[in-house]
Amino acid sequence: MNVVYADNNATTQVAKKVLDEMLPYLETYYGNPSSMHTFGGQVAKNIAMAREQTAALLNASPEEILFTSCGTESDSTAIQAAIKSNPDRKHIVTTRVEHPAIKNICEHSAKNEFHVTYVPVDENGTLDLDYLYKNLTDDTAIASIMWANNETGVIFPVEEIAAKVKEKGIVFHTDAVQAVGKIPIDLKNTEIDMLSLSGHKIHAPKGIGALYVKKGTKFSPFLIGGHQEKGRRGGTENVASIIGLGTASELSKNLMEEENTRVKEMRDSLEKGLLERIDNAIVNGGKEKRLPNTTSIAFEYVEGEAILLMMDEFGICASSGSACTSGSLEPSHVLRAMGVPFTAAHGTIRFSLSTYNTMEEVNFIIEKLPPIIEKLRKMSPFWKKNQ
Amino acid sequence: MWEYTDKVKDHFLNPRNVGEIKDADGIGEVGSLACGDALKLTFKLDENKRIKDAQFQTFGCASAIASSSALTEMLKGLTLEEAEKISNENIAEYLGGLPKEKMHCSVLGRDALEKAIGSYRGESEKKIEGEIVCECFGVTDLEIKRVVAENGLINVEDVTDYVKAGGGCGKCHERIQEIINQINGIQIQPKKKEKALTNIQKIKLIQETLSREIQPALAKDGGDIELIDVDGNKVIVKLRGTCATCSKSELTLKNYVETKLRELVADSIEVEEVQ
């Protein structure tokens, strides 16, 4: 069975070029970049190049890039670096719709003498900026605001927020895991202090991430060990994956336009096609400022996991904002924060495309999904009552 | 990814008996949109009071749909007395098992069945009994107690898997654990006691129990009891005084002496009278 992969916000296919560039560092150049001998030491040059490629995607300087093992490590590093560098400040500002990588470390910190302000969003997923600014105090150690939401694709104006936060002398971090590679990022011209990204969302392998730390930002390592990454992150470098991230960053930069034209058109067609064919279907989140590849659609009166499993029969991969898939029983905290009613939240499906998708695949989803929703609605005790 | 059996997948992809019987004899509706699953079960009896037809409508995940479908198949041909014996475990077993996190789907089926049978018998819809423990999913202490006792659950996670309680904000976890401890306390404590006792400790405890609890009670009726021997869990005694001649002495021995010793010493104790 062919796989129609429309779950690129979860992870992406490793690009062929990325894999090709990586393999020599697994097969031939397996040396340790910290070694004195040429065999190992030469690898350091290739890491330096990957650092330049990654920096170029963000318009940052190579020395501002720190390689980590994943987006979550980048997020944890950023939060604890800000906390440790400002020991007299006990307040964190973040949003109600962050990825668990930020949400859970904030909740964890809240158990240890920190207090956390969660900035709300409206029904479109738009951040309440006044609330955010009002809650920045002398006690605030860090404000961490995601660049784009993983579930809805809604983009926050982080450049504008960063400027306001910096005015108050507070460290600003953004989890840009979903934004990187999909929308242009120009860090040299922002006040952002730290930014997290993840390799496997941009066609590099899993297990590699990066943290941008603006020059002059106070820092404290999360992984304490060797001198790697200039002492900012101990541990022997994941050489092949770093090379992979560098290559993927370069590819992403070149594909940015396609992402915002062809991929966006496919996303729009998918959304339009499904809404035309299925009643009581609603797009979650404002459409204006949104990632070009993401759509989150609520199909009322049916449950997400059931939809996913029926799509699975056709090889269609997507994810749900519903209870039953995540192991947790409540609908996603993002949809709840937006006030999406339960009727819709439980039946939400997120489609996220990439440059690897085709219009044929989009049409295949448009053809297969309406009968699935119809079948499930016929089974649902709530459906007729609401017609 | 959930690991579903082929039978669950089959019942999900090809659900049996979907629909609503118009002139149903019994109707059971449980769950809600907010909770993420809901089931409406209807059945019709034949002239012999056996279930002729059962149909369902379910809003929920794959295993909720499969559990409902399985239940309707299981019900057909049963009398209501037979049907009411179906437990959530039976529904899960029928499907070749459910993932632990999905056991609440089988509980949903059982609850709907109970309600449907209740409606046929004209029992008025039960008001929510007990106090609400989990506010997110509206689960009461009585529901939690029942599922803990019936399924031998031991931690909060289990309770969440079976009745969803605790699966939301998490504020009620402590209270759920208290309930679990309360239910299990009765069963677990004696076992612990038993394990901890050496032979000498056991004999000592039996002697103490006899002199402190049992002899004074028997003395009220002019009777007495004497410990002759302890052989493993067999406690051999001799009844004296009025007890020795009492026609009900056998009852006294089993219903009172043995019960008391089981409660206070070890639940495997057997009392015998020396001849």
Side-chain angles (χ1 to χ4, degrees):
Chain A
M1 182 168 54
N2 276 335
V3 166
V4 174
Y5 192 76
D7 202 11
N8 287 276
N9 287 9
T11 194
T12 61
Q13 178 179 351
V14 174
K16 178 75 170 70
K17 185 155 193 302
V18 168
L19 182 64
D20 288 346
E21 294 286 332
M22 286 174 67
L23 282 176
Y25 297 90
L26 295 167
E27 289 172 337
T28 314
Y29 307 111
Y30 55 80
N32 189 324
S34 298
S35 295
M36 288 307 290
H37 43 72
T38 310
F39 177 68
Q42 63 183 355
V43 174
K45 285 186 195 138
N46 302 91
I47 290 184
M49 199 168 104
R51 206 182 298 279
E52 279 176 28
Q53 291 168 314
T54 308
L57 177 62
L58 309 171
N59 193 25
S61 299
E63 62 272 22
E64 293 174 318
I65 301 297
L66 197 68
F67 291 118
T68 65
S69 66
C70 57
T72 299
E73 188 196 322
S74 300
D75 285 341
S76 276
T77 303
I79 300 282
Q80 69 77 45
I83 286 173
K84 280 195 190 160
S85 310
N86 299 284
D88 50 333
R89 295 181 176 218
K90 300 290 177 200
H91 179 223
I92 299 171
V93 174
T94 186
T95 77
R96 283 185 63 191
V97 294
E98 295 293 314
H99 185 274
I102 287 291
K103 181 175 173 271
N104 290 345
I105 193 172
C106 287
E107 282 170 12
H108 178 78
S109 304
K111 286 181 194 152
N112 300 310
E113 70 181 327
F114 281 84
H115 57 284
V116 182
T117 298
Y118 297 94
V119 181
V121 295
D122 67 11
E123 69 277 11
N124 290 318
T126 311
L127 201 61
D128 186 339
L129 296 182
D130 287 339
Y131 189 93
L132 197 172
Y133 300 145
K134 258 190 286 181
N135 279 282
L136 298 170
T137 69
D138 294 342
D139 196 34
T140 310
I142 181 170
S144 179
I145 312 288
M146 71 193 329
W147 200 309
N149 187 270
N150 48 306
E151 291 189 29
T152 59
V154 169
I155 297 168
F156 290 153
V158 284
E159 290 134 311
E160 177 192 326
I161 297 167
K164 291 265 186 175
V165 170
K166 290 309 293 173
E167 270 175 26
K168 305 220 172 179
I170 296 163
V171 175
F172 183 82
H173 165 257
T174 180
D175 175 347
V177 163
Q178 294 296 346
V180 168
K182 291 171 193 151
I183 52 172
I185 291 178
D186 179 7
L187 290 177
K188 282 221 161 70
N189 293 307
T190 74
E191 299 284 330
I192 294 167
D193 294 309
M194 290 189 273
L195 172 147
S196 303
L197 69 89
S198 168
H200 74 102
K201 311 287 191 194
I202 59 165
H203 306 288
K206 293 151 194 74
I208 184 72
L211 178 66
Y212 159 87
V213 184
K214 199 180 199 68
K215 241 175 274 175
T217 305
K218 281 192 216 161
F219 190 78
S220 171
F222 183 54
L223 276 193
I224 295 167
H227 61 278
Q228 293 89 352
E229 302 291 304
K230 294 188 177 152
R232 294 179 297 178
R233 199 263 186 187
T236 299
E237 296 87 342
N238 181 357
V239 177
S241 293
I242 289 173
I243 302 298
L245 177 58
T247 309
S249 297
E250 195 171 282
L251 289 175
S252 266
K253 201 163 186 269
N254 297 333
L255 288 170
M256 188 83 69
E257 203 192 320
E258 185 180 340
E259 188 81 37
N260 285 281
T261 51
R262 191 177 71 84
V263 173
K264 186 172 185 288
E265 281 159 23
M266 285 193 293
R267 189 274 315 269
D268 291 344
S269 298
L270 176 64
E271 201 169 84
K272 190 163 168 275
L274 292 176
L275 294 187
E276 275 171 5
R277 285 166 183 78
I278 303 171
D279 292 337
N280 292 69
I282 309 144
V283 174
N284 294 313
K287 291 185 183 181
E288 292 304 311
K289 286 174 183 156
R290 190 163 54 139
L291 292 176
N293 77 320
T294 309
T295 177
S296 166
I297 308 179
F299 301 101
E300 289 188 292
Y301 309 110
V302 286
E303 202 276 334
E305 189 216 64
I307 304 172
L308 287 185
L309 285 178
M310 285 200 174
M311 290 202 297
D312 197 50
E313 291 295 301
F314 297 109
I316 301 169
C317 309
S319 60
S320 84
S322 89
C324 283
T325 44
S326 58
S328 145
L329 291 164
E330 289 205 322
S332 92
H333 67 284
V334 175
L335 300 177
R336 273 183 295 145
M338 290 163 61
V340 174
F342 281 115
T343 45
H346 283 296
T348 289
I349 300 292
R350 175 192 71 189
F351 296 96
S352 47
L353 307 178
S354 79
T355 50
Y356 285 83
N357 287 113
T358 63
M359 205 57 199
E360 283 74 49
E361 290 177 327
V362 165
N363 288 333
F364 184 76
I365 300 173
I366 294 173
E367 176 199 329
K368 294 297 177 195
L369 189 53
I372 291 175
I373 302 295
E374 197 189 330
K375 183 177 175 183
L376 289 170
R377 280 183 177 163
K378 275 189 184 157
M379 259 186 253
S380 170
F382 299 118
W383 178 235
K384 268 173 289 168
K385 288 181 190 170
N386 294 285
Q387 286 306 288
Chain B
M1 200 179 105
W2 297 110
E3 297 291 334
Y4 287 131
T5 63
D6 288 342
K7 197 136 189 214
V8 173
K9 281 186 200 155
D10 179 37
H11 275 270
F12 165 60
L13 294 170
N14 310 296
R16 283 63 146 176
N17 311 310
V18 176
E20 186 185 354
I21 301 171
K22 287 295 164 220
D23 53 343
D25 290 317
I27 300 171
E29 278 183 278
V30 288
S32 72
L33 267 172
C35 292
D37 47 24
L39 163 58
K40 183 174 187 179
L41 178 74
T42 49
F43 68 76
K44 184 89 190 145
L45 299 175
D46 64 15
E47 60 277 13
N48 300 316
K49 299 288 179 204
R50 284 183 181 275
I51 295 172
K52 184 172 70 182
D53 193 12
Q55 293 189 13
F56 80 91
Q57 283 179 311
T58 291
F59 159 79
C61 59
S63 54
I65 291 169
S67 296
S68 311
S69 167
L71 176 63
T72 55
E73 257 190 1
M74 292 164 79
L75 285 176
K76 287 189 187 178
L78 299 186
T79 63
L80 292 186
E81 289 67 34
E82 288 163 343
E84 69 187 345
K85 290 196 185 108
I86 293 175
S87 67
N88 69 289
E89 282 291 342
N90 296 147
I91 299 171
E93 278 162 22
Y94 186 86
L95 289 166
L98 282 173
K100 199 172 143 287
E101 296 84 347
K102 296 288 192 175
M103 284 305 288
H104 61 85
C105 296
S106 63
V107 175
L108 188 78
R110 186 213 54 197
D111 288 353
L113 174 61
E114 261 177 19
K115 270 202 180 174
I117 294 174
S119 84
Y120 169 74
R121 290 180 176 156
E123 291 161 12
S124 58
E125 180 108 335
K126 276 185 207 156
K127 285 255 163 62
I128 295 178
E129 283 176 12
E131 48 147 334
I132 297 273
V133 174
C134 169
E135 284 174 10
C136 299
F137 292 102
V139 188
T140 66
D141 58 339
L142 295 182
E143 288 171 275
I144 294 170
K145 279 178 190 167
R146 178 174 179 187
V147 85
V148 168
E150 284 182 358
N151 295 283
L153 308 184
I154 52 168
N155 57 41
V156 177
E157 235 174 74
D158 290 342
V159 170
T160 307
D161 292 339
Y162 277 74
V163 285
K164 296 188 173 187
C169 70
K171 275 185 208 147
C172 60
H173 285 186
E174 223 167 280
R175 177 78 187 103
I176 294 174
Q177 191 61 55
E178 274 171 28
I179 294 173
I180 295 169
N181 293 346
Q182 191 191 331
I183 298 283
N184 291 338
I186 305 159
Q187 294 157 1
I188 286 168
Q189 267 175 0
K191 276 183 197 153
K192 274 190 191 154
K193 217 185 278 170
E194 195 167 20
K195 263 188 194 163
L197 290 177
T198 66
N199 269 336
I200 292 176
Q201 285 171 325
K202 194 197 286 175
I203 293 167
K204 240 179 135 183
L205 196 56
I206 292 168
Q207 281 173 329
E208 272 175 30
T209 308
L210 283 174
S211 62
R212 200 185 59 232
E213 298 271 349
I214 299 171
Q215 283 172 326
L218 296 183
K220 282 180 195 159
D221 295 320
D224 197 6
I225 191 166
E226 185 190 345
L227 180 65
I228 305 294
D229 201 0
V230 176
D231 180 12
N233 286 319
K234 210 185 283 172
V235 177
I236 298 148
V237 294
K238 175 98 185 133
L239 290 168
R240 300 194 183 278
T242 48
C243 290
T245 51
C246 175
S247 62
K248 294 203 175 85
S249 67
E250 181 67 30
L251 278 175
T252 307
L253 216 53
K254 286 288 165 194
N255 285 2
Y256 178 68
V257 180
E258 189 174 275
T259 311
K260 206 74 196 168
L261 286 173
R262 281 183 177 183
E263 186 190 327
L264 296 167
V265 183
D267 61 3
S268 48
I269 278 182
E270 278 179 49
V271 177
E272 274 181 32
E273 192 180 11
V274 71
Q275 294 307 316

